[in-house]
Amino acid sequence: MRSPVAGIVTLFALFVLAIIGYSSVFTVDMTEQALVVRLGDPVRVVTEPGLNFKAPFIDTVIPIDKRILDLENPSQEVIASDQKRLVVDAFARYRIKNALRFYQSVGSIQAANIQLTTLLNASLRRVLGEVTFIQVVRDERETLMGRIRDQLDHEAGGYGIQVVDVRIRRADLPEQNSQAVYQRMQTERQREAAEFRAQGGQKAQEIRSNADREATVIVAEANSTAEQVRGEGDGERNRLFAEAYGKDPDFFAFYRSMTAYENGLKSNDTRFLLRPDSDFFKFFSNASGKPPVARAEPAPAPKQ
């Protein structure tokens, strides 16, 4: 029979072998690369994902991200070549290209972000300080971002970092300058609006004056035509009256009197202040319109 001591030794040996085996392997994730360090000195860099081996207890594995990383830069104030102040909001994208150099120079992503922020601000001031405000805002923005990226990539190469992209999210005047520009633009637009309004008022006045003049001419021509037609009608009426009078003066006098009675004796007022023997009432006392024959007064008796 085996002694109990031999079994304990065997179990201990297996336990030690398990610990040694566990500390001899490591895995690399697809999003990472690994730097193997032995007693503080780098040994190798593993870039392929999978299971790998290392010396137990003396090798240390430092994982380093190999994905594209973000660098958010706080807004910076830059002076352009035309002495205009700009507030620039930019960001960068980078990856760790050389893990050993990265570890030896900066050591961590947090330290790399601090260093890259300083380099990015310096590149922004150098590149944007050589161009005008209009070039930054409108004309050459894409080209300027490419120049900043190239400069930053060149300087970051010493840290084992490759800069993939640099973008200017916003480039604008400071708040106080923006308010002054907006106020000036507003004043200019108000001036243009007032000018357009004045031109419109002048044009409206011209159109209104032309319309009034044309209306006056049309009304005058219409009145002239109406007066001419009215005069022709009156002349025709007088001619007809004259013909009627010439044919039968008595009937014409009777007709005129009947018309006067119709116009004068309205249903609501039939009062007249005239003498009963006036010409107006001549057809009331005699249908022929002739005045009554005066009676001869008797001669006075002779005096005795």
Side-chain angles (χ1 to χ4, degrees):
M1 293 181 62
R2 290 184 179 180
S3 64
V5 175
I8 294 174
V9 171
T10 302
L11 290 175
F12 180 75
L14 291 175
F15 179 72
V16 171
L17 288 175
I19 293 177
I20 294 174
Y22 181 77
S23 63
S24 300
V25 296
F26 66 94
T27 58
V28 178
D29 192 75
M30 294 182 62
T31 62
E32 295 177 341
Q33 53 188 330
L35 175 64
V36 181
V37 180
R38 180 173 298 167
L39 301 177
D41 295 329
V43 177
R44 60 194 173 95
V45 177
V46 181
T47 58
E48 296 298 326
L51 184 64
N52 294 272
F53 296 92
K54 65 181 180 65
F57 306 116
I58 60 174
D59 285 351
T60 303
V61 179
I62 301 174
I64 298 175
D65 204 326
K66 67 177 181 180
R67 294 173 295 182
I68 294 178
L69 304 175
D70 297 335
L71 176 65
E72 292 293 337
N73 190 48
S75 299
Q76 298 292 322
E77 191 169 286
V78 179
I79 300 177
S81 63
D82 53 359
Q83 301 305 310
K84 289 188 177 180
R85 305 170 73 88
L86 293 172
V87 176
V88 180
D89 183 9
F91 65 91
R93 301 286 183 266
Y94 71 94
R95 66 162 58 95
I96 300 172
K97 186 177 182 181
N98 190 324
L100 177 58
R101 185 176 298 176
F102 175 81
Y103 176 74
Q104 291 175 337
S105 57
V106 292
S108 65
I109 293 178
Q110 291 77 10
N113 286 340
I114 295 173
Q115 188 65 32
L116 287 175
T117 299
T118 303
L119 297 177
L120 177 58
N121 291 335
S123 297
L124 285 171
R125 288 189 172 88
R126 278 197 304 269
V127 174
L128 301 185
E130 297 174 356
V131 295
T132 63
F133 170 76
I134 297 299
Q135 290 174 306
V136 175
V137 175
R138 186 188 63 189
D139 295 342
E140 301 180 9
R141 189 162 182 163
E142 192 71 26
T143 303
L144 295 174
M145 289 189 296
R147 289 177 55 189
I148 295 171
R149 181 199 60 217
D150 294 341
Q151 289 190 14
L152 183 60
D153 180 59
H154 176 73
E155 295 175 351
Y159 302 101
I161 295 173
Q162 177 188 9
V163 178
V164 177
D165 193 17
V166 173
R167 291 287 166 178
I168 297 176
R169 184 183 289 113
R170 184 178 70 93
D172 204 353
L173 295 170
E175 183 65 24
Q176 59 272 21
N177 293 12
S178 298
Q179 292 299 328
V181 171
Y182 294 152
Q183 185 65 32
R184 187 166 62 250
M185 292 173 61
Q186 183 180 10
T187 303
E188 181 66 19
R189 295 300 176 271
Q190 290 176 349
R191 185 192 63 78
E192 292 179 357
E195 183 177 353
F196 291 151
R197 202 176 296 113
Q199 292 176 357
Q202 180 180 0
K203 191 68 176 178
Q205 185 63 34
E206 292 177 358
I207 295 173
R208 195 177 297 110
S209 300
N210 293 335
D212 292 342
R213 187 183 72 252
E214 292 177 359
T216 302
V217 172
I218 292 173
V219 170
E221 292 177 351
N223 290 334
S224 175
T225 303
E227 291 296 332
Q228 182 178 357
V229 173
R230 191 178 295 110
E232 293 175 356
D234 291 342
E236 183 66 16
R237 182 191 62 180
N238 294 334
R239 186 185 65 80
L240 294 175
F241 282 165
E243 291 180 358
Y245 182 79
K247 291 180 179 179
D248 192 347
D250 294 334
F251 175 77
F252 183 76
F254 176 76
Y255 173 76
R256 293 296 298 272
S257 295
M258 293 299 104
T259 302
Y261 294 158
E262 181 181 3
N263 294 331
L265 299 175
K266 301 295 183 181
S267 60
N268 56 353
D269 190 7
T270 58
R271 291 175 296 177
F272 283 93
L273 296 177
L274 296 173
R275 292 170 56 86
D277 58 349
S278 66
D279 290 340
F280 186 75
F281 295 112
K282 63 183 179 179
F283 287 100
F284 276 82
S285 60
N286 191 335
S288 63
K290 297 180 179 179
V293 178
R295 294 181 179 180
E297 294 182 359
K303 293 181 179 181
Q304 295 292 331

